[in-house]
Amino acid sequence: MFLHLGGDVVVLKKDIIAILDARTKNSAITREFIEIARDEGFIQPISNQEKEKSFVITSKEIYVSPISCTTLKKRSDNMMENSEDES
């Protein structure tokens, strides 16, 4: 299954490692992690910096999404319910 992260970006759910609220970058360790990832070229912005609401960490890249963690979780849960209904 795929998860829509905003814009034209979708990722495989199995590739998602974590979804973090953008406010977590206030933490020193998270800020350092994001800065290193940005320097290494792993950050893929989906929207401009003023609209960032979450970081979606995948096995290949980190996406900066304009969609909140809560909404992404709801989308993910709805996809799980729909796939179970189809079984």
Side-chain angles (χ1 to χ4, degrees):
M1 290 303 220
F2 293 93
L3 181 62
H4 178 251
L5 304 180
D8 294 333
V9 179
V10 294
V11 296
L12 283 170
K13 281 183 55 175
K14 69 177 185 154
D15 290 342
I16 297 174
I17 296 168
I19 299 175
L20 305 174
D21 190 293
R23 293 176 290 189
T24 62
K25 74 178 181 179
N26 295 333
S27 161
I29 191 79
T30 305
R31 186 173 39 254
E32 181 180 358
F33 173 73
I34 295 297
E35 287 174 10
I36 291 170
R38 185 169 279 125
D39 290 345
E40 297 287 327
F42 290 107
I43 300 287
Q44 298 296 325
I46 298 172
S47 67
N48 58 22
Q49 192 170 7
E50 297 85 43
K51 294 187 178 182
E52 66 185 32
K53 293 188 179 177
S54 61
F55 296 105
V56 181
I57 302 170
T58 68
S59 56
K60 297 176 185 170
E61 297 173 305
I62 300 172
Y63 296 92
V64 182
S65 176
I67 300 173
S68 72
C69 296
T70 305
T71 301
L72 290 172
K73 180 174 180 351
K74 286 178 186 175
R75 286 183 182 180
S76 178
D77 290 345
N78 286 340
M79 288 174 24
M80 290 298 293
E81 289 173 9
N82 289 339
S83 68
E84 288 174 0
D85 291 343
E86 294 172 2
S87 298

